[in-house]
Amino acid sequence: MVLNPVISKLSGKLVVLASSSPRRLEILTNVGLRFEVVPSWFKETLNKSLFKEPHQYAVETARQKALEVARRMPFKHLKTPDIVIGADTIVTIDGLILEKPRDKQDAYRMLSRLSGKEHSVCTGVAIVLCNQQENEETEYQTIDFYEETRVKFADLSETMLWDYIDSGEPMDKAGGYGIQALGGMLVEYIHGDFLNVVGFPLNRFCKQLDLLFNPELASNEVVHTDVRCNGSTTDHIENPSSTSSLSKGQENMSAAGSAVPPVTSRGPMNLVIEKVHTDDLKRIIELMDGFKASKALFTASKMRVFDLLQKRPGLEGAEVARGLQASLKGTLCLLEACVSLGLLERKQGGVYENSRLSQRFLVSDSPSSLLGYMAHSDETVWKLFSHLETSVREGTNLQAKSSTKILYTPQTCISPCSRKLRFMKAMHGIAEVAGPAVITAFDLSRFKTACDLGGCTGSMAHGLAKAYPRMSVTVYDLPSVVELSGTFCPPGLDNRVSFVAGDFFKDRLPKADLYILARILHDWTDDKVHALLSKISDACCGLLVSEIFLDRDRTGPSQGLLQALGLGPGKQRSAGEYGALLESHGFTVSHIAHTDSLLDALLCIKD
């Protein structure tokens, strides 16, 4: 039976569900909706860090899924749909977005994180209305919203976790569980819409359809109307008496995750009408302006804007300018740019405070501080990439430029020791942020000794020693690196971590059960990679490799492919390519983990 009068409004229209999810299909079929299923080809590769809130990522993903199907169908299916429905469900905990697990180990990592804790399930939904014009061009009207449900997991034993994982149920579900089936046994309680956790917020969807076909009911709603015909205007209508409905209401988001800017003209309801090219234009402009955002970030970090506001939050612009000993005009422009990038927040009264993002990554005394990496990116990588065109034309590598007089002018030249220390600070920052996810991706308790080749400051080694109290770890790196390592990890911090100086290409490797190559292999030629792996193969029984793994078709992730532009003689590889490389040296790939940090990992065992 059709739920009248809401679902019946869609009778006679070509409605398409841009999802292959059997759960969404079942929910919509059960209320009598007639529709076709055309799974979206949109690759869910949006940069999560660009979105201030997790639900914005879900909404934008749903919107892109629906728009991809709406734009494809007239050409591939030779028919234009009336309505396309897109949805994306994510699980979030502690600000981290959990999507579908890639393998059993990934499912274990997710479920372990959720055990005994409360988390959020957010589903973003986009409804695209397709209006074919007389000139055969199609206008797309988009309504989007999200629903959030709080879910509490019971404390889960290892046996229960693995029994559930081995059932196979977690593998195609956000967060690694399905509440409507066996996963319901893991749940202690929920607050909110049950069907939202299953995968589709039916109640809010019906309410949205009611508003769409009965616009007179929208008088008490916060309404955003983005009219994007020929890239023109945006309407924003807000009822002064309503201030809270936006939290789960309509948020028309750009691909960068920022809210649509308001103007004052009135629109009929919360619709987004856009030409096909508008999103493409926005994307191109974002790419063109990307260097400006990077330089604003680097400059604010170098001037210690975030350290100042961490020590003295709530400063006015003039007070920040005095603290930085900089001009008022320039400081205000920089502060406003940082607010727009989500790095700062401007509070009531016009005072500034650090955002959650900057508190975590851009403050000197934060355990996850990336200021060292910022300095390296600004002072070294930025200058290298200014020679990218020459590198592409000549087939030379950007790293070779580091020895040229162009990069190290008299004004910027620093001593080799200072340059080495700056690079080590950059690597230490990345290791502190990405290392824990790599260390905990696998059960390494079987190994009693480990050797981190090219382990730099010892960050990974100390993390391993902390995670595995019975493990002793050796950091093996060049003498000039070992000499400076005490700056980061003072001697005596953990007597199970030791530093040995040497060259892993020329010298004998320290003995160990497990060797670690974190961000090493991508730097070297095939000949050197094979030589190093041969030495390791003769000396150990286990090898952990951590790199940015490319997609199988080499279309992403962009971080890895952009890094490849700056490589010397080395190259980036996919997980499959690394696996084949290691198997050629007698290793058997045991586990592959795509972590939520900057690096992926692969564990293999020597036959």
Side-chain angles (χ1 to χ4, degrees), residues 15-20 24 28 38 40 58-70 83-89 123-128 142-145 199-201 205:
V15 180
V16 174
L17 176 63
S19 171
S20 59
R24 293 182 185 128
L28 292 173
V38 179
S40 178
V59 168
E60 183 61 25
T61 300
R63 198 172 75 90
Q64 294 295 340
K65 286 180 178 179
L67 283 172
E68 188 281 323
V69 170
I83 295 176
V84 180
I85 302 167
D88 185 63
T89 300
T123 300
V125 178
I127 305 170
V128 175
T142 306
I143 306 100
D144 50 49
F145 60 92
F200 195 81
F205 174 72

Side-chain angles (χ1 to χ4, degrees), residues 400-508:
K401 298 290 182 182
S402 63
S403 61
T404 66
K405 64 181 180 181
I406 299 176
L407 181 57
Y408 297 107
T409 62
Q411 290 76 23
T412 62
C413 187
I414 59 175
S415 68
C417 181
S418 296
R419 193 155 58 242
K420 175 76 72 175
L421 188 60
R422 187 171 67 196
F423 176 76
M424 290 176 67
K425 287 179 179 179
M427 296 303 100
H428 184 76
I430 291 295
E432 289 289 292
V433 172
V438 173
I439 291 167
T440 58
F442 314 113
D443 180 5
L444 304 177
S445 58
R446 78 188 86 170
F447 303 107
K448 304 306 178 186
T449 58
C451 180
D452 188 2
L453 299 175
C456 199
T457 66
S459 173
M460 185 82 77
H462 283 284
L464 276 169
K466 184 177 179 180
Y468 299 97
R470 297 182 180 180
M471 182 184 290
S472 297
V473 189
T474 300
V475 179
Y476 190 71
D477 215 316
L478 295 170
S480 60
V481 174
V482 173
E483 183 181 356
L484 296 173
S485 63
T487 305
F488 303 90
C489 298
L493 183 64
D494 192 325
N495 58 16
R496 289 180 296 113
V497 176
S498 59
F499 287 78
V500 175
D503 185 324
F504 51 57
F505 288 121
K506 299 177 181 178
D507 303 323
R508 178 176 296 179

Side-chain angles (χ1 to χ4, degrees), residues 316-335:
E316 296 180 350
E319 294 173 311
V320 176
R322 286 195 295 271
L324 301 178
Q325 297 183 339
S327 70
L328 177 58
K329 179 182 178 181
T331 299
L332 288 176
C333 287
L334 181 60
L335 293 175

Side-chain angles (χ1 to χ4, degrees), residues 10 35 76 86 99 113 126 135 168 192 250 264 276 296 327 341 354 359 390 481 531 606:
L10 302 181
F35 59 93
K76 296 292 184 180
E99 295 183 285
R113 188 185 293 271
N135 60 2
Q250 297 72 33
T264 57
V276 173
S327 70
L341 295 172
N354 285 335
Q359 287 176 9
T390 301
V481 174
K606 184 68 165 57

Side-chain angles (χ1 to χ4, degrees), residues 39-346:
S40 178
W41 293 352
F42 174 69
K43 291 190 175 182
E44 299 178 34
T45 56
L46 296 177
N47 188 341
K48 298 181 182 68
S49 66
L50 297 178
F51 298 88
K52 293 182 180 179
E53 299 294 338
H55 73 261
Q56 296 173 350
Y57 168 81
V59 168
E60 183 61 25
T61 300
R63 198 172 75 90
Q64 294 295 340
K65 286 180 178 179
L67 283 172
E68 188 281 323
V69 170
R71 292 165 176 167
R72 169 162 50 96
M73 284 191 66
F75 302 99
K76 296 292 184 180
H77 297 250
L78 301 180
K79 54 186 175 182
T80 299
D82 296 302
I83 295 176
V84 180
I85 302 167
D88 185 63
T89 300
I90 58 172
V91 171
T92 68
I93 183 168
D94 300 328
L96 184 68
I97 296 176
L98 306 181
E99 295 183 285
K100 297 174 183 177
R102 298 176 177 89
D103 50 35
K104 286 188 175 183
Q105 196 66 38
D106 198 26
Y108 173 79
R109 180 184 55 79
M110 289 184 180
L111 293 169
S112 298
R113 188 185 293 271
L114 298 177
S115 177
K117 298 178 183 177
E118 191 176 272
H119 60 273
S120 289
V121 178
C122 291
T123 300
V125 178
I127 305 170
V128 175
L129 309 182
C130 308
N131 302 316
Q132 197 162 15
Q133 306 299 302
E134 292 181 359
N135 60 2
E136 296 187 356
E137 192 169 28
T138 302
E139 291 182 343
Y140 298 98
Q141 305 172 345
T142 306
I143 306 100
D144 50 49
F145 60 92
Y146 77 99
E147 181 69 31
E148 179 178 1
T149 304
R150 299 293 295 172
V151 181
K152 169 67 163 40
F153 262 29
D155 291 315
L156 308 177
S157 66
E158 288 288 303
T159 301
M160 181 177 286
L161 275 176
W162 281 110
D163 283 349
Y164 180 60
I165 292 169
D166 289 338
S167 75
E169 187 176 277
M171 304 316 298
D172 65 337
K173 297 171 180 65
Y177 74 96
I179 195 171
Q180 73 282 5
L182 294 175
M185 296 187 295
L186 314 179
V187 175
E188 195 169 284
Y189 63 74
I190 75 167
H191 291 308
D193 185 346
F194 174 82
L195 289 181
N196 180 58
V197 185
V198 177
F200 195 81
L202 182 63
N203 178 268
R204 183 165 289 274
F205 174 72
C206 291
K207 287 180 179 178
Q208 196 64 47
L209 288 183
D210 206 18
L211 291 174
L212 176 62
F213 292 106
N214 299 288
E216 68 277 4
L217 299 178
S219 58
N220 293 322
E221 295 288 324
V222 177
V223 179
H224 293 250
T225 304
D226 185 8
V227 185
R228 298 183 183 173
C229 293
N230 298 321
S232 58
T233 139
T234 299
D235 295 350
H236 177 90
I237 310 168
E238 184 167 326
N239 184 341
S241 66
S242 175
T243 59
S244 63
S245 59
L246 184 57
S247 65
K248 289 190 180 180
Q250 297 72 33
E251 292 196 29
N252 296 319
M253 308 303 298
S254 72
S258 56
V260 174
V263 295
T264 57
S265 60
R266 179 173 293 272
M269 63 186 77
N270 54 330
L271 300 181
V272 180
I273 306 174
E274 60 178 6
K275 293 293 186 183
V276 173
H277 70 269
T278 306
D279 282 343
D280 298 336
L281 178 61
K282 279 193 170 186
R283 178 62 178 150
I284 287 296
I285 292 175
E286 286 169 5
L287 289 172
M288 288 192 298
D289 283 350
F291 78 96
K292 299 176 186 176
S294 296
K295 198 61 177 177
L297 169 62
F298 296 157
T299 299
S301 299
K302 186 175 184 179
M303 295 179 71
R304 293 294 191 263
V305 170
F306 309 108
D307 280 345
L308 174 62
L309 289 175
Q310 189 71 7
K311 293 177 182 177
R312 299 168 59 195
L315 294 181
E316 296 180 350
E319 294 173 311
V320 176
R322 286 195 295 271
L324 301 178
Q325 297 183 339
S327 70
L328 177 58
K329 179 182 178 181
T331 299
L332 288 176
C333 287
L334 181 60
L335 293 175
E336 289 170 350
C338 287
V339 169
S340 74
L341 295 172
L343 304 177
L344 294 178
E345 296 177 357
R346 185 163 51 204

